[in-house]
Amino acid sequence: MTVGMDQADRHGHQPKGHSMQSASPRGRREKGAVPKISKGDFAPKDTENSPAVVSIESFEYTPAYFARWKVSASDWMLLLVISMAAVVVRCYKLSNPANVVFDEVHFGKFAGKYLNSTYFFDLHPPLAKMMFAAVGRLAGYDGVFDFKSIGLDYIAANVPYVAMRLMPALLGAATVPATYATVRACGYAMDTAALAALLVCVENGLVTQSRLILLDSPLVFFTVLTLLCWSMFWTVQDRPFSRVWWAWLLATGLTMGCAASCKWVAFFLIPTIGLSTLHDLWDKIADQSLSPARWSMHFGARAIALICMPVAVYIGWFYVHFAVLSTTGGDAAALSPEFQVTLDGAKQMVTDRDVYYGSEIRMRSTNARSGFLHSHLHPWQHDKGSGQQQVTIYSYADANNVWVVEPAYNRTVDTSQGLVPVRNGDVLRLRHKTTGRFLHSHDKRPAMSNDKNKFELSGYGFANFSGDSNDNFRVDILEGDPDIQGSATELQSIYSRFRLVHTNLHCMVFNSRKKLPKWAFEQIEVNCMRNCLPRMSTWHVEHAFHPNTTAGAPVRKASYRPLGMLGKIWEYNKLMADSNQNLIGDHPFAARPQHWPWLRRGTAYWGGPGRLIYQLGNPLIWWGSLAALAVFATVRMVLFLLDKRRIRLQLGGQRNQYISGAGFFALAWTCHYVPFFLMGRELFTHHYFPALWMAIIVMAFTVDLVTCRLPRLLRSAVYVAVAAAVLHAFHTFSYITYARTWTKDACLRAKWLPTWDLDCEHAIGGLKGTVPPVAEPVLVDSKPENGVDQAVPKAADQVSNDPKYVQPEFINLPLDNGSGNKMIQPQLVQALPADNDDQAHNEL
C-alpha cells in the first residue's frame, strides 16, 4: 500500500477509481487498492497476485483485503517521535517512590523466589513474573529482600527496583508506537494513527500501571502486539502462504500465547481472533473459485498458527517455570502429594501398603489438597452443635491426624489367622489415637451450614464407654490403581480412593473447603453430607502402620508416583482456576464491571507526606472512548434499519471502512469486557485495561469519521483540540500518577466525581501531608513459620519497629495480588503452625 499525504490521507476522501473496501480489522484503502467490482463481474481467483475476495456493492459486509502498508519516511519520523515521547512519559521519575507500592509486595517477592529456585504458588501464569526475575538478576537483585509490606525502603535494602520497574515501563511505552502501527495497518491516515497513539501515551491509568512491578503492563503489551500482528496479517491477504503471510500469522499465535502466559484475561483474545477467523473462513467457503483443497490449506494454516502455536507457547513457559522452581517451599502444601514429590527437598512418602484392622492411618482429602482428617481436644462451640470434640481438616501432618481402624460397634474380627485387611464394603470405626474418641456423626447441623442434608462430625466417647452405632462408617472403594493388584477390592495406602459412608444417616464424610472460625483455629470444616458428589468426599490413606506386624517379615510398601510435566501443568492450572473462582472478598477498592467504563473510582496504591499514587485513568479518554462505542452501536443500528428500507447511507464514503474497522475493535472490546459480568470473584478497575485500549482505537476511528468531510484546516483543528484536552487532563492527574507533591486544595479540585475516593489528607495541608502519622499498617507476614507461608494478617502492635523495613510515614493499603487476593492461599488455609492443644486452649 502506497502511503502519502494525499486527499484521502488528509480528509478521508477516496480517490476516483478506488472503492472503500472492508477488512477484519480493515479500513479504507489508499493508493494501490483493488478497484471495485460491480455485481456482474467475476471475483478473481485466490492466487499469489490477486485478492481472494472483492467487494460487491449489495453486500453489507465483505471480506475484502487491503494492500500492504508500506512504511514511508513520514511514518518512520512519527514513530520515532512517538516512541521517544512514550519513553519519557512512562519513565519520568521512575524511582519515585523508593518504596514498595501496592502489589509489588507480591510480584517482587515472586521474582526473588525464582532467583532462589524456591517453589511458590500464584494464581497468574508465570511469564510476566519470570520477566521481572530475569531483569532483577541482570540488575544484581539477589532475591533476599522479601517485599514484605507496602512502604518498605528499597534504597536501604539495596534493591535494584528502578531496573525492575523499567521493564514494564518500556513495555508500556512500546504499546504507543504499536498503536500507531495498528491504526495505519487498518488503512487509516497518519493523523488518525498519531491521535490514537497520543491517547494511549497520556492515559493516566496505563501510565501508572506500567511504572510499577505489576503484571498488567506485560499483559497489555502482548495483547496490543497480538492485534497488531493480526492487523498486519490482513494486509498480506493478496499473498496467501507466502513467507510474510506465514510470518504475521505465526506471530499472532506467538504473541497471543505470551499474553495468555501473563494473565488469563488474555484468553479473551481467543474469541476475538477466533470470530474474525471464522468469518473469514466462512466467506472463503462462498468463493466458488476456491477449491476444497485450497480452503483446507487455509483452515489448516490458521489451526496451526492460532491454536497449536498459542498452546505450545503457554505450555512452554510453564516448562520453564517448573524447571526454575525446583526446590520445595511452603506453598507446595497446596499441591497434591504426587506433585510435591517432584520438588527437591520434598519428603518422599513411603508407607505400609496394606491397611488392616488395628492399623494406625492418616487420611488425606484426595481432590481438595487441603489436608488431613484431624481432631483435637476442643469442643464444637457453635449454637447448632453438640459440644462434642471437634473434627476438622488440618493442612499439615501431625499426631492429631492419626486414627486407629477398629471393627464396627458390637462387632469383632477374627485375628487368629493373622492380620485382617480392610475390604471394600466393610463397616468399621475410626478411633482418634490421641484422645481415644471415635469419629461420630448424628442429627446435628455442622458449624458452617444449615442444610438439612449436612450433619456434624465429632469425636465422641469417654472412659468405660464402648461407643454406639453412630460411630459406624462403611468403606466404599471408588477406584484403585490399575497397576496395583487388589487396590480396588482391599483398602491400600495411596492406591485406593474411597468414601466413608455413615451407616445410620447415609451421608459421606465431606470436605466443605470452608474455613472455620477462630475458636476452631480457622481450620477447614469437614461434615457428613448426603447426596454429595465424589470430588469432595473422596479420601485416601497416606500413611499406614500396624504395631503387630511381624518383626523382620516383608511388608509391602506404597509411595506416590511423581507427576510428569504435563500432569504438573494441568494440576497447577486447575488450582489457578479454583483460586480465581474463590476470590470473593470485601477489598475496599474492588469495583464491578458496570463501573469501569465511566471511571466511577480508581485504586489507592500508596501514600506519603504530600504525595500519593492513586490509579485513576484519564477521564476524558475513558469517557470519550465509551461515547465512541455508543456512537458506533448507534450508527450500526441505524444503518441496519435503513438498509431494511433499502436506504443505503454511505457516511461520506466511509461506511465500509468505519463499520469493518471500528466493528472489529468494538467486537474485541466486547470480548474483553462483557465476560467479567459472569464472574462472581472480586474485580478491579485494572481488569479493564486491555478493553480500554480497544475502546481507544474505536475512539480514534470515530473522530476520523466525524471529521472526514471537513476541510483540512478544520479537521486539523478538531484533532488539536482533542489532543489539547487529553493533555490537560493528563497533567491534572499527573500528581497521582507520578506521586508528585501537591496541595490539599488541588487534590480536592481534582475530584471531578464524588465517587473518586482520593485521600487528600496526604496532600500538603492535609493531616498526613504535614505531620507523619503513627504507623497504622495492615501487614501481611509471609515469612515462613515452621517452613510454611502463613499469610496471616497482623495487628498494628505486632509490626516490626525496625526502621529499615517499616517506614511509618507511608500508609499501607490493602493488597490484592493483582486480583483481590489478600494473600489467602487457595485450598490451603493456614490455621496454626502446629496444632498445639495447650496453645489453642490458651487462645480459647
Side-chain angles (χ1 to χ4, degrees), residues 722-780:
V722 173
V726 297
L727 284 168
H728 172 73
F730 173 74
H731 178 267
T732 299
F733 297 100
S734 65
Y735 293 91
I736 57 177
T737 300
Y738 297 111
R740 297 172 59 194
T741 301
W742 65 346
T743 65
K744 183 177 180 180
D745 290 340
C747 178
L748 293 173
R749 287 196 302 270
K751 285 189 174 184
W752 292 5
L753 294 181
T755 53
W756 293 354
D757 43 3
L758 294 167
D759 185 3
C760 292
E761 294 302 322
H762 280 274
I764 298 298
L767 294 177
K768 299 176 182 178
T770 54
V771 179
V774 176
E776 42 184 7
V778 180
L779 294 181
V780 176

Side-chain angles (χ1 to χ4, degrees), residues 353-364:
R353 189 170 89 177
D354 300 299
V355 178
Y356 304 102
Y357 286 94
S359 290
E360 300 174 0
I361 65 173
R362 185 168 64 238
M363 290 171 43
R364 189 182 189 106

Side-chain angles (χ1 to χ4, degrees), residues 71-94:
V71 185
S72 67
S74 299
D75 282 309
W76 284 117
M77 183 63 66
L78 263 177
L79 281 169
L80 178 62
V81 172
I82 287 169
S83 300
M84 292 174 60
V87 170
V88 171
V89 169
R90 258 58 176 186
C91 298
Y92 174 72
K93 291 188 176 181
L94 196 59

Side-chain angles (χ1 to χ4, degrees), residues 312-330:
V313 170
Y314 185 80
I315 292 175
W317 287 122
F318 269 101
Y319 265 83
V320 178
H321 170 78
F322 290 126
V324 174
L325 300 181
S326 57
T327 305
T328 190

